[in-house]
Amino acid sequence: MRIFITLLSMITLILGCSDFDNFYRQRNARILNKGSTVVAKVGGEEITKGDLVKSLETLPPNQRMIYLSSPQRLKEYLDSYINQMVLYKEAEREGIDRREDIKESLERYRRRLLIQALSQEAINQKISEKDIENYYRQNPKDLEEIRISHIFIKIDPAKGITKDKARAKADIVAKRAKSGERFENLVNEFSDDPVSKKRGGDIGYISRGRLSPEFENKIFSLKEGEISDPIETENGFHIIKVTEGAKIPPLDQVKGRIEIELKKKVFSEYTKRLREKMGVEIFEDNLKEISVR
């Protein structure tokens, strides 16, 4: 799943930076056309403009732009490139590539690279506008969002705030909020969340699927203006106020979310077919015997 999320993040980044990439390619067309021009040598091995451009293309767009912003910055990148070459050559000369731990790491990297490449091929399938529209019509509850503010009471044993003390404090604050005291004033007085505290407790819009099911169900069951009882989480207690009730955003605002969900479905179906094809068995009794020390 982590690999899948990483791939989706990479795809989003690539799509979002397409304008810069076009600018970058146009700006460096002259360099690419003279890619065989030598810019440095390491021993007898040449480094060409083409080598440097290919290496730059592996960087995130913002880093790439920095190195291309001036001859001095480009020289810094070349120095870094040369340092990597000399370190690699020295590691080979010392036989580090033959060490067992390095072989194992290389094999793990190879496996990860192959998995990522195949996974990306699986989710690169074009999602049609019709598929997106159908999902929007058929899954309205999954697309709901709600705007909330909160007061967070933190459990902090280092400061003597045990779970019981935090719960008792949260109960008092929730009662005061429900009795009609201004929520923003209670946020300012009691909340342990410094970020939302600056905004009167406002967290913004929360979409379904972002929180744990238990927390999410409690929030989405509240009506606009309603205040929750303290909701326990691992780090403390949240008192929630719904400032805008649950609603379904317009299609154009959630197209991206829908496309990701459909790509997840494509990937899930693809791995399911592979598991059936290869014959996967899980021995749950043996799994229970595993313990982490």
Side-chain angles (χ1 to χ4, degrees), residues 239-289:
I239 301 156
I240 304 296
K241 179 179 180 180
V242 176
T243 53
E244 289 184 31
K247 62 181 181 181
I248 303 167
L251 175 58
D252 61 343
Q253 291 183 19
V254 291
K255 271 189 176 182
R257 279 172 54 195
I258 293 174
E259 187 169 3
I260 288 173
E261 288 303 316
L262 290 174
K263 284 183 179 290
K264 284 182 183 178
K265 184 179 179 182
V266 167
F267 184 77
S268 177
E269 290 172 351
Y270 177 66
T271 53
K272 182 181 178 181
R273 289 196 301 271
L274 290 179
R275 290 163 72 105
E276 291 171 351
K277 176 182 175 182
M278 297 181 188
V280 173
E281 293 182 80
I282 296 175
F283 303 98
E284 293 189 8
D285 289 341
N286 295 342
L287 188 65
K288 293 175 184 176
E289 297 173 4

Side-chain angles (χ1 to χ4, degrees), residues 48-169:
T48 67
K49 283 185 177 181
D51 294 329
L52 212 57
V53 168
K54 285 180 182 178
S55 180
L56 282 162
E57 286 179 338
T58 65
L59 299 177
N62 59 330
Q63 289 184 26
R64 193 190 309 162
M65 181 181 285
I66 290 171
Y67 285 120
L68 290 169
S69 64
S70 70
Q72 181 182 350
R73 289 289 192 180
L74 192 57
K75 173 62 166 51
E76 289 175 7
Y77 187 77
L78 175 61
D79 286 338
S80 175
Y81 187 97
I82 290 171
N83 287 343
Q84 290 181 49
M85 282 189 67
V86 297
L87 288 167
Y88 177 73
K89 288 178 178 295
E90 183 64 13
E92 279 193 321
R93 190 189 68 78
E94 292 187 5
I96 291 178
D97 57 324
R98 296 190 293 275
R99 276 176 19 192
E100 286 303 315
D101 60 326
I102 298 300
K103 287 181 179 179
E104 290 175 6
S105 295
L106 287 171
E107 179 57 26
R108 283 196 298 272
Y109 177 75
R110 176 180 172 276
R111 285 168 58 90
R112 187 163 63 248
L113 195 63
L114 291 173
I115 291 168
Q116 288 177 347
L118 183 60
S119 299
Q120 188 157 9
E121 287 183 9
I123 64 174
N124 268 349
Q125 175 180 317
K126 175 70 175 175
I127 304 296
S128 70
E129 289 294 320
K130 185 176 179 180
D131 288 337
I132 291 173
E133 291 169 4
N134 287 340
Y135 185 96
Y136 183 78
R137 284 198 312 272
Q138 295 167 10
N139 302 275
K141 293 289 285 185
D142 293 344
L143 298 168
E144 279 186 333
E145 63 180 23
I146 193 169
R147 188 167 187 173
I148 62 172
S149 294
H150 83 151
I151 300 169
F152 176 57
I153 308 299
K154 184 178 181 181
I155 298 170
D156 194 348
K159 294 183 179 179
I161 309 298
T162 63
K163 182 189 286 189
D164 288 341
K165 286 184 177 180
R167 181 186 287 108
K169 183 178 178 181

